[in-house]
Amino acid sequence: ILERLVYKAKGAAADAIDNEMFERARVAEKIKMLEGYLPDILVKNATIYGILSKGIHELSEEECREYFPVVKECIYQILGMWECERRKQADEDALSKALSSISSSIK
């Protein structure tokens, strides 16, 4: 989920971020590079990726269960903010379209 968000943000950033430098960077660095394209909570807490990675590769099942509620809440907040931004953009697009239509009809 987290890597998908990072690569989706990279797509939105397009050429604003150097592709070669981006691909060579570690995930935490990629998150910092994408400031302004990712939710602030993720940029401010880029350590979440390290926690997830360590959970996959090193932590015991018991340790993962202990940390899961916090990590899950963080992911939910990130996804919620992303969805809020998507809805806001859709609302702005609809409003612009409606205003354009009115403008065209009253000329």
Side-chain angles (χ1 to χ4, degrees), residues 44-104:
K44 290 176 184 173
N45 296 287
T47 57
I48 187 172
Y49 184 81
I51 293 167
L52 291 171
S53 180
K54 195 164 196 144
I56 290 170
H57 300 291
E58 297 176 32
L59 299 179
S60 70
E61 189 74 25
E62 185 177 301
E63 289 171 308
C64 288
R65 269 194 230 103
E66 179 183 340
Y67 305 141
F68 177 74
V70 175
V71 172
K72 180 181 87 171
E73 185 59 32
C74 187
I75 290 171
Y76 281 174
Q77 283 191 19
I78 291 164
L79 292 173
M81 289 176 180
W82 198 281
E83 177 62 13
C84 220
E85 188 61 36
R86 187 198 63 77
R87 285 183 186 166
K88 179 182 170 197
Q89 187 61 52
D91 289 348
E92 287 175 9
D93 292 348
L95 184 58
S96 291
K97 186 177 177 181
L99 288 170
S100 180
S101 177
I102 291 170
S103 180
S104 294

